[in-house]
Amino acid sequence: MCNEPSNELPPTSLIICSRNRPKLLVEAVASILQGEQVPTELLVIDQSDAPHATLCTMTRVRTCTVRYVWTQSVGLSRANNLGIALAQYEILVFTHDDILIAPNWFGALVRALVQAGVRSVVTGQVRPTAGQQAGDFQLAIKVDPKPAQYAGRIWEDVIYPLNLALYRSALTEVGGFDERIGPGTPFPGAEDNDIGFRLLEAGYEILYVPEAVLYHCAWRPARDYVPLHWSYGRGQGAYYAKHLSLRDRYMLRRLVNSMKKHAALSLGKIWSDRREGYGEAAYALGMLSGALQWTINYGRYVEQR
């Protein structure tokens, strides 16, 4: 039996968004509620076609209030923003519906944020699981035992939104998630990279805390590998294009470098691992497609929202 959560953690809202993954969602919620420490409230924003039969009746488990919200809106960024608006507490933790946690995950993540302070953002380790079928996969993985700190202009995207904690004030300052980017939009990815960039530009520090471990389930079938790379590439290209400016070439250089990197990886992998090679090619082409469509839709540079 798990120990009851201690009083050392401040009140915290954990936001988990989902769409049409009822089995994964209920397993993720169960894993969170079985941890050594639990949030003060667990806010489930469900954009599924129908309400979840189990979660819609859940109200309280241990010391955690469970708030289930079924909405017919679409889009992960929109769901995240709804969760932020409904959350009762100032410390916000985000995760996804296809995870399982290590028992000490929640406490490790929140303690690191409290110690770092309100001008910090904390993300943690995301380990893979084995799939049930041959070829099952997941893409968002971060396995590194060394802690890291990031500030200012960096050349990579370092936030993992399925393992993320920050203060509400940080999201208020940068305007929340951009609802034009992310799953459920024409640019189905990079909403995490966009919010991370805006936080860094606003002077926040991002901390990677390897002891805050959760597991990203490999449930996606092999047939989705290349299409998902295309989709994520489109989101990444839109994110780059959103922040392109002729007066500031930083994001243009990042776009060019990323295109070169994925094109080179495609050529390098195509003979040794055809699936990975095609995936990298799809990602590079998706970036180009997303950047062009964003520019057509919104112009070269617009204020984020």
Side-chain angles (χ1 to χ4, degrees), residues 123-146:
T123 189
Q125 193 168 172
V126 182
R127 295 180 181 174
T129 67
Q132 295 184 350
Q133 305 291 331
D136 287 356
F137 72 98
Q138 73 284 86
L139 292 182
I141 298 298
K142 173 69 173 182
V143 180
D144 189 340
K146 297 178 294 184

Side-chain angles (χ1 to χ4, degrees), residues 257-299:
N257 289 344
S258 188
M259 289 288 296
K260 290 179 178 177
K261 170 189 171 183
H262 289 282
L265 286 171
S266 175
L267 291 174
K269 290 282 189 178
I270 198 69
W271 303 114
S272 60
D273 189 325
R274 183 166 295 182
R275 186 177 81 158
E276 286 194 22
Y278 288 155
E280 295 292 346
Y283 192 94
L285 292 171
M287 273 197 295
L288 181 60
S289 170
L292 289 173
Q293 186 176 340
W294 180 276
T295 302
I296 292 168
N297 289 358
Y298 299 112

Side-chain angles (χ1 to χ4, degrees), residues 40-224:
T40 315
E41 72 168 351
L42 173 58
L43 191 54
V44 180
I45 308 297
D46 191 358
Q47 296 178 318
S48 299
D49 295 336
H52 197 289
T54 301
L55 295 178
C56 70
T57 63
M58 190 177 293
T59 57
R60 191 168 182 84
V61 177
R62 296 168 59 190
T63 59
C64 177
T65 298
V66 180
R67 298 172 62 199
Y68 175 83
V69 178
W70 180 62
T71 172
Q72 292 180 296
S73 66
V74 176
L76 178 56
S77 292
R78 186 168 295 167
N80 281 333
N81 285 339
L82 177 59
I84 295 164
L86 294 176
Q88 297 183 18
Y89 302 107
E90 295 307 303
I91 292 179
L92 305 178
V93 174
F94 291 84
T95 191
H96 285 181
D97 61 2
D98 54 353
I99 59 92
L100 300 171
I101 70 162
N104 68 337
W105 165 73
F106 183 76
L109 194 69
V110 174
R111 279 192 293 271
L113 178 65
V114 171
Q115 183 175 0
V118 295
R119 300 293 297 177
S120 297
V121 179
V122 176
T123 189
Q125 193 168 172
V126 182
R127 295 180 181 174
T129 67
Q132 295 184 350
Q133 305 291 331
D136 287 356
F137 72 98
Q138 73 284 86
L139 292 182
I141 298 298
K142 173 69 173 182
V143 180
D144 189 340
K146 297 178 294 184
Q149 296 175 275
Y150 305 94
R153 292 279 174 94
I154 58 177
W155 295 92
E156 57 183 324
D157 298 304
V158 295
I159 275 185
Y160 289 81
L162 64 171
N163 194 351
L164 178 66
L166 72 172
Y167 286 85
R168 183 198 303 274
S169 57
L171 292 166
T172 300
E173 181 175 343
V174 301
F177 289 84
D178 189 332
E179 295 181 5
R180 299 167 295 178
I181 300 178
T185 76
F187 309 104
E191 78 291 342
D192 49 347
N193 299 336
D194 174 67
I195 197 85
F197 172 71
R198 288 189 277 130
L199 287 164
L200 288 169
E201 289 289 281
Y204 286 84
E205 182 179 59
I206 298 174
L207 306 179
Y208 167 69
V209 180
E211 58 266 28
V213 176
L214 55 68
Y215 299 86
H216 193 185
C217 300
W219 61 271
R220 295 183 183 274
R223 65 178 179 273
D224 290 346

